[in-house]
Amino acid sequence: QVQLVESGGGSVQAGGSLRLSCEASGFMFERSCMAWFRRAPGKEREGVASINRYATPTYKDSVKGRFTISRDNSKNTLYLQMNSLKPEDSAMYYCAAEVACYRTSGSLAPAQYNYFGQGTQVTVSS
């Protein structure tokens, strides 16, 4: 049974930092492609960052240079380091997994991913 459990969200002032974690279980993590998505109230879900099994990252343009996605296969854990946070980054953040992924390219398309976690809330105040 696949499980994705996010943590690390919270409230921070603009310019601050947060580190999100996603603990994965129920599949071979090292063979997966992983991603972070977010959804703000009244907006569509959007891909923020992805990382393939070769640890190649892909980022949404608006977070490039501020967010860093990484993975620790020994801990079955995905991370998202978020720096220089802006109020427009406020959203529920979700971890996603594409199990048995052999892509060398990144993808921020929700349809590419098989499983999503329950989310962790990030609120950035101005």
Side-chain angles (χ1 to χ4, degrees), residues 1-125:
Q1 180 180 356
V2 172
Q3 284 195 311
L4 301 171
V5 180
E6 301 95 335
S7 62
S11 296
V12 65
Q13 289 193 324
S17 298
L18 285 172
R19 188 194 196 202
L20 306 184
S21 299
C22 171
E23 293 187 27
S25 60
F27 63 99
M28 297 192 73
F29 184 76
E30 65 272 20
R31 296 186 182 181
S32 67
C33 293
M34 302 293 295
W36 288 98
F37 288 82
R38 67 187 181 189
R39 176 176 278 165
K43 294 189 176 182
E44 296 283 323
R45 178 173 53 183
E46 61 179 7
V48 175
S50 72
I51 187 166
N52 65 14
R53 64 187 292 182
Y54 311 107
T56 303
T58 301
Y59 297 98
K60 175 180 172 62
D61 284 348
S62 64
V63 308
K64 285 180 180 177
R66 299 189 298 122
F67 291 10
T68 302
I69 189 171
S70 62
R71 63 191 298 161
D72 186 337
N73 290 343
S74 68
K75 296 181 179 179
N76 287 358
T77 302
L78 176 73
Y79 302 100
L80 185 68
Q81 177 67 44
M82 305 186 294
N83 298 329
S84 302
L85 282 161
K86 304 175 180 180
E88 52 264 42
D89 294 318
S90 296
M92 185 72 79
Y93 281 71
Y94 301 90
C95 170
E98 178 186 353
V99 302
C101 171
Y102 299 92
R103 289 186 285 106
T104 56
S105 60
S107 175
L108 297 179
Q112 193 71 50
Y113 297 87
N114 312 105
Y115 301 95
F116 287 80
Q118 294 299 306
T120 185
Q121 179 68 40
V122 171
T123 303
V124 184
S125 58

